Amino acid sequence: MKNSLRFITLSKYPPYRSGHAKQALWNNTALAVLTGAEQHQVTYCGASPDPEDDAGQGVVVHHVREVPGNRRVPDGHLLRAVGAELYRACLENDIDVINTYYIDPHAALANRVADAVALLRRRPIVIHSIEGSDVLESVCEHLVDGSAGVLFGDVMRADVLCTVSHYTAQRFLAGAEAVGGARLADTLAESIVLRYPGLPPVAYAQPSQEELREFRQRSGLRQDSVIISTLGRLEEEKGLDTLLAIADLAAACRPEFEFVIAGTGSLGDVLTERAATMPNLTVLRNVSSHDAQCLRATSEVGVFPTRVIPGFIETFCVAALEYEALGVPVLASSIGGVPEATPDDRFLVAPHTAPAEWLARIEDVLANRAERSAVAAAFAGKFTSARSAQRLIDLANLAADRFNRSVPLKADPVDDYLATWPARRQLFAEPVQM
């Protein structure tokens, strides 16, 4: 094919409104630098005046336009509208590759648009990425009712099938076996390739000491406190009640600790009310990307007590990786794909660990802070957006050059792309979903 590839990525939200949309933007920005070509992103959750939604140089974000619905076929209106915008953008910008985040309904849409484009010119390469809770909510929790079955047909039509982690691939293949037996699972297993998320250069940039002092002052944090923080969605699956319990215990024995919970979500009001009763807890809502970076940089430890709930399990943990990029060690629940976002066992905590043990683990990290920091930074340094984007370019070119485009790209047995985790033992049994 070529190196000056033009990608278009289908993602649900505008940039910086969700983890996978951020990753799409990071990849597209890196692709623009690597290829020298303009990259594109289609989103269908509306335009926003938020300046942080600006994609920046080299990337164009296309918002789905208003189109008249069909009153006799109302359920397909959104899919048609998204497909129309994707189709228009592909033709007008001579797109080489359609890249999806999530398979439901993105895979079917991308396949449909690629086929329609092929009627007028060369068919774009299609790369499907299986990300986030998609593997659970769309597939694994819909095996009994049969609605997951058709998704396997959608993904098998891709030129390239990627997963965000080895854990995601394993769960997806288990679903395939439940639907179609070992034959379907084996067929898919030959085609799946790994593509980890990659952080942009700005994620590795340390704020100045003056910026950190100003951030602490503006956020109501003491200048000399030891900050223990978490940053992400303020939702049930993040296990924030565990962090509250840790802070409550620390209030009596570690007065130098200040705990910070930052992010956006449905639990924001409840957490804010709780923080009003706890002098060592601060809740920061709707933080800017600058303040998020300052929070990470001024923290001594990042804590992620995430848990399994119906419809959700962490299939990686970009939030933890963002702390590690600044040399901040983390402690995270060893569930799903989270272990693949951490350097080694010392950064992981078994599911259902009591708050007192979490606090003891935090103290252990602090006692070995310099060494853990160095390990974290070295590990995160491998997960760059440039590396992730180059992976897309390499896979697209391999797919374009293969003899038979009627079947997905077969994984190279000697492919060693960031292959460090599979050799490690499974640390803890998979938690049972309640």
Side-chain angles (χ1 to χ4, degrees):
M1 209 173 190
K2 56 185 180 180
N3 287 325
S4 57
L5 297 173
R6 289 182 174 87
F7 284 73
I8 191 164
T9 302
L10 179 59
S11 65
K12 183 176 182 181
Y13 298 103
Y16 294 114
R17 291 304 177 89
S18 73
H20 81 272
K22 284 199 299 184
Q23 292 170 43
L25 176 61
W26 297 340
N27 273 321
N28 287 339
T29 303
L31 283 166
V33 173
L34 290 170
T35 65
E38 189 174 71
Q39 306 300 319
H40 299 265
Q41 188 165 333
V42 170
T43 176
Y44 55 92
C45 279
S48 167
D50 188 337
E52 293 201 35
D53 284 351
D54 181 17
Q57 186 175 4
V59 182
V60 177
V61 175
H62 305 268
H63 294 280
V64 173
R65 303 175 181 184
E66 290 289 337
V67 297
N70 184 337
R71 290 172 296 178
R72 297 182 184 276
V73 192
D75 292 345
H77 174 61
L78 176 61
L79 298 184
R80 288 195 305 277
V82 176
E85 184 62 25
L86 185 60
Y87 175 76
R88 182 195 64 78
C90 282
L91 288 178
E92 291 183 1
N93 298 284
D94 194 25
I95 295 299
D96 301 296
V97 185
I98 299 175
N99 181 43
T100 68
Y101 276 80
Y102 290 2
I103 57 173
D104 185 18
H106 298 183
L109 276 174
N111 294 341
R112 181 189 299 181
V113 170
D115 289 344
V117 170
L119 297 175
L120 300 178
R121 64 168 188 83
R122 174 179 45 83
R123 187 181 190 273
I125 292 292
V126 175
I127 299 178
H128 290 331
S129 296
I130 305 176
E131 306 271 341
S133 57
D134 189 33
V135 72
L136 286 183
E137 208 158 20
S138 296
V139 178
C140 299
E141 293 182 356
H142 290 282
L143 299 172
V144 175
D145 63 28
S147 62
V150 70
L151 291 175
F152 293 99
D154 288 334
V155 300
M156 291 181 73
R157 289 186 58 202
D159 296 290
V160 181
L161 175 58
C162 294
T163 61
V164 71
S165 63
H166 288 283
Y167 170 81
T168 305
Q170 291 164 1
R171 289 301 303 268
F172 186 71
L173 292 174
E177 186 166 7
V179 167
R183 182 177 179 181
L184 177 60
D186 290 345
T187 299
L188 281 165
E190 291 179 358
S191 304
I192 290 177
V193 293
L194 177 67
R195 184 176 64 84
Y196 281 125
L199 299 179
V202 69
Y204 299 90
Q206 291 278 356
S208 69
Q209 289 302 311
E210 182 57 34
E211 287 177 297
L212 297 184
R213 283 192 294 269
E214 190 274 336
F215 166 75
R216 280 182 178 253
Q217 181 178 11
R218 183 161 39 81
S219 302
L221 301 169
R222 303 195 308 269
Q223 293 294 336
D224 60 348
S225 63
V226 175
I227 301 293
I228 314 296
S229 72
T230 192
L231 200 161
R233 294 189 307 278
L234 307 182
E235 302 292 348
E236 176 190 358
E237 65 267 17
K238 297 304 182 180
L240 300 175
D241 54 339
T242 297
L243 194 56
L244 293 177
I246 298 170
D248 199 36
L249 289 172
C253 60
R254 299 301 298 260
E256 72 276 24
F257 285 6
E258 281 194 284
F259 292 81
V260 179
I261 297 174
T264 302
S266 63
L267 298 180
D269 288 342
V270 172
L271 292 168
T272 299
E273 291 173 5
R274 183 67 185 275
T277 69
M278 299 178 64
N280 66 343
L281 174 67
T282 298
V283 174
L284 302 176
R285 301 168 67 178
N286 302 309
V287 294
S288 67
S289 57
H290 174 266
D291 282 359
Q293 189 76 338
C294 285
L295 174 61
R296 287 187 283 260
T298 201
S299 298
E300 292 296 323
V301 186
V303 178
F304 298 91
T306 182
R307 61 168 62 112
V308 183
I309 65 169
F312 183 85
I313 187 170
E314 294 281 3
T315 52
F316 190 68
C317 191
V318 171
L321 198 65
E322 289 177 295
Y323 276 76
E324 293 163 351
L326 293 172
V328 179
V330 303
L331 288 173
S333 298
S334 183
I335 63 170
V338 174
E340 297 179 58
T342 59
D344 58 49
D345 305 7
R346 297 169 298 172
F347 292 71
L348 297 168
V349 180
H352 313 301
T353 294
E357 178 59 23
W358 274 93
L359 182 57
R361 292 290 303 276
I362 290 171
E363 292 174 331
D364 176 64
V365 172
L366 293 173
N368 300 278
R369 178 60 163 71
E371 187 266 343
R372 301 285 174 87
S373 175
V375 170
F379 176 79
K382 299 183 296 183
F383 294 84
T384 66
S385 56
R387 190 169 193 173
S388 185
Q390 186 62 56
R391 177 70 160 172
L392 284 172
I393 294 170
D394 293 343
L395 292 171
N397 280 314
L398 285 172
D401 293 341
R402 73 192 193 282
F403 178 73
N404 184 4
R405 280 196 60 177
S406 65
V407 295
L409 178 73
K410 301 298 183 182
D412 187 336
V414 299
D415 184 0
D416 62 353
Y417 168 79
L418 290 179
T420 57
W421 183 261
R424 292 168 56 179
R425 62 187 174 87
Q426 185 176 356
L427 298 177
F428 308 109
E430 185 70 29
V432 177
Q433 295 187 47
M434 304 302 292

